[in-house]
Amino acid sequence: MTLAALLELQLTDSAIDQIRLRMPRLPEVIAAQAAANEVSAWEARTQQLRGQIEQFESAITTAEAASAVISKQRSRLEQQLKTVIAPREAEALMHEIALLNGKRSALDDDELVALEAMSSAESELAEHALRESLLRSAAAAASETASAAVAASEADLASKTVARDEMRSGLDPSMVRRYDEMRG
């Protein structure tokens, strides 16, 4: 009788250990973690796109400010050119104006590239935002399913633990102590 009871206790303890090992590896738990990872990846990509848009806006603002400075310089030089009589001085001013026009053209090109890139990033962000509700609802559903599966495993664990405790209480304490030593 005692050996059969010890064997039953050992089988119950093994079942409890298996439940504990299986709980974090339940397919529902793994699916919930994967869904949560997808949401995290979505959030990271959203932040990345917003950062890119901010960088493009900054580049555009900088290019516009530099263009305004160049326009002022060019206007000033054009006013001087109207009052100049010496051909060499006029030639030098025209050269300066041409250089400023080249800088302005380069700034305009940079601004155009930044505008196109910002438009592309904004479009991607808009498309990306459409997936948010789907991802979040899938993650919530997976989380609920995982919680239910874990709760079922915990209930099974609790019932087996109660059964084990009843078995242990029916055995000789010295035998239980020896069993615990050997099991450890």
Side-chain angles (χ1 to χ4, degrees):
M1 173 74 178
T2 308
L3 289 177
L6 278 175
L7 180 60
E8 186 68 28
L9 177 62
Q10 192 274 327
L11 289 173
T12 303
D13 277 337
S14 293
I16 289 171
D17 291 343
Q18 287 175 355
I19 291 170
R20 285 184 179 144
L21 286 172
R22 199 174 349 163
M23 280 175 52
R25 294 180 182 94
L26 290 171
E28 297 87 351
V29 172
I30 292 170
Q33 185 59 47
N37 289 344
E38 282 185 44
V39 169
S40 295
W42 180 90
E43 289 171 346
R45 181 63 181 151
T46 299
Q47 286 303 103
Q48 183 183 26
L49 287 170
R50 287 183 178 150
Q52 287 176 356
I53 290 169
E54 287 176 13
Q55 288 176 342
F56 294 136
E57 286 174 343
S58 176
I60 291 167
T61 302
T62 302
E64 287 175 348
S67 287
V69 169
I70 289 173
S71 291
K72 282 183 180 181
Q73 289 175 344
R74 191 177 67 198
S75 293
R76 184 181 49 82
L77 292 175
E78 286 172 349
Q79 288 300 323
Q80 282 181 344
L81 185 61
K82 290 178 184 178
T83 61
V84 171
I85 299 173
R88 277 203 163 287
E89 199 176 326
E91 194 175 300
L93 286 173
M94 289 172 53
H95 178 71
E96 286 283 326
I97 291 171
L99 288 175
L100 289 175
N101 285 339
K103 287 180 184 178
R104 174 74 186 264
S105 178
L107 283 172
D108 288 345
D109 290 345
D110 291 346
E111 185 177 354
L112 185 60
V113 168
L115 281 168
E116 288 174 0
M118 185 171 83
S119 175
S120 174
E122 286 174 339
S123 296
E124 185 178 346
L125 181 62
E127 289 175 24
H128 192 67
L130 296 176
R131 294 183 47 220
E132 179 180 18
S133 62
L134 179 66
L135 283 174
R136 291 196 188 278
S137 64
S143 178
E144 286 179 24
T145 304
S147 294
V150 168
S153 292
E154 287 173 346
D156 191 23
L157 181 65
S159 70
K160 290 199 182 325
T161 301
V162 167
R164 181 195 62 192
D165 292 344
E166 288 175 6
M167 286 181 218
R168 289 174 70 91
S169 66
L171 294 171
D172 179 35
S174 64
M175 191 174 275
V176 171
R177 199 171 22 259
R178 177 81 174 130
Y179 168 78
D180 288 340
E181 290 171 5
M182 293 177 78
R183 182 158 169 76

